[in-house]
Amino acid sequence: GAGVSQSPRYKVAKRGQDVALRCDPISGHVSLFWYQQALGQGPEFLTYFQNEAQLDKSGLPSDRFFAERPEGSVSTLKIQRTQQEDSAVYLCASSLFRDYLSRGTQYFGPGTRLTVL
Amino acid sequence: DAKTTQPPSMDCAEGRAANLPCNHSTISGNEYVYWYRQIHSQGPQYIIHGLKNNETNEMASLIITEDRKSSTLILPHATLRDTAVYYCIVRVVSNQGGKLIFGQGTELSVKP
């Protein structure tokens, strides 16, 4: 695969439903990031994995948000009991090395647009 | 990480150089300047980064002032496909997590 892929590209959920968003990073990339982008705003950091270890989850807005990367490749962002304020584009990014080697170059997927009704 | 200030929008004529400014007056000595752009309905795309020297690659040039308090991204011959939101980010490169902190960016419109 050429780049980071995300699925689904669009998701509509009723308030209170659980959703799962998938990210397939570029093969071999060690670092994986999730960002949330509200309409008209820049992306905001949610969480960071180095291989399977979740090293930073300081950006997760509530305990309804959970992310995992069990085998150090594919990652899933799960949102429980969705609320209208969760409506946003969820972006996944990966980088080849640890930060100091990749020099901050992250490769982003196209995002999943989540709409909560 | 230091905060950046960018104009909210700019226009540029197709074929002309686009010069996008960024102020980062509180930048620390170990913080790099990064530029990403986001074309509509796509994820952000890395453009270029630098510490204190000017940098150039196939996409753009980055000019950093001597005091490092501001920088300019230059797209030498803008095309319609360069229409996007451009983000200037300053951050430390470390052995730990490398999250990017995006501001509002500059919406560049390239016009025919």
Side-chain angles (χ1 to χ4, degrees):
Chain A
V4 178
S5 61
Q6 294 186 245
S7 61
R9 289 294 314 277
Y10 303 91
K11 176 70 177 177
V12 178
K14 292 183 179 178
R15 190 160 53 95
Q17 279 186 329
D18 297 348
V19 298
L21 312 180
R22 177 187 169 106
C23 172
D24 284 82
I26 295 172
S27 178
H29 276 201
V30 166
S31 297
L32 185 144
F33 304 80
W34 284 98
Y35 295 84
Q36 179 191 58
Q37 186 170 25
L39 189 64
Q41 305 294 315
E44 291 193 1
F45 169 79
L46 292 177
T47 188
Y48 161 66
F49 290 86
Q50 192 174 100
N51 295 306
E52 70 279 2
Q54 189 174 20
L55 298 186
D56 187 351
K57 51 183 180 180
S58 62
L60 296 176
S62 76
D63 58 7
R64 296 186 295 105
F65 286 71
F66 172 78
E68 60 183 5
R69 194 186 184 198
E71 297 178 358
S73 55
V74 170
S75 177
T76 303
L77 177 67
K78 297 179 180 178
I79 309 173
Q80 297 177 322
R81 305 181 303 281
T82 53
Q83 304 294 317
Q84 284 188 320
E85 62 262 28
D86 300 335
S87 295
V89 175
Y90 291 85
L91 294 160
C92 175
S94 69
S95 65
L96 181 58
F97 296 116
R98 295 178 187 176
D99 184 55
Y100 77 97
L101 290 175
S102 66
R103 295 294 180 183
T105 302
Q106 296 182 16
Y107 299 86
F108 283 80
T112 294
R113 181 177 296 278
L114 172 66
T115 303
V116 181
L117 302 177
Chain B
D1 292 327
K3 182 178 171 60
T4 64
T5 304
Q6 299 177 253
S9 64
M10 291 182 64
D11 289 342
C12 177
E14 188 178 19
R16 304 297 293 269
N19 298 284
L20 293 95
C22 179
N23 286 322
H24 31 79
S25 58
T26 60
I27 193 170
S28 302
N30 60 348
E31 287 183 310
Y32 286 70
V33 179
Y34 290 82
W35 285 83
Y36 278 74
R37 74 179 183 184
Q38 188 172 24
I39 295 169
H40 184 61
S41 295
Q42 297 183 21
Q45 175 191 23
Y46 167 82
I47 301 173
I48 198 167
H49 76 279
L51 182 61
K52 47 187 173 182
N53 297 322
N54 297 338
E55 302 287 345
T56 295
N57 64 19
E58 65 278 4
M59 289 183 69
S61 294
L62 174 60
I63 308 297
I64 303 174
T65 58
E66 192 168 343
D67 63 7
R68 304 210 321 123
K69 293 183 184 298
S70 66
S71 60
T72 301
L73 179 74
I74 301 172
L75 308 178
H77 305 287
T79 72
L80 299 179
R81 287 176 292 183
D82 292 322
T83 292
V85 178
Y86 287 77
Y87 296 99
C88 170
I89 300 166
V90 293
R91 60 186 285 271
V92 175
V93 174
S94 73
N95 195 27
Q96 303 304 316
K99 63 187 176 187
L100 298 170
I101 300 175
F102 293 82
Q104 301 281 23
T106 295
E107 186 165 9
L108 175 69
S109 297
V110 181
K111 300 182 184 297

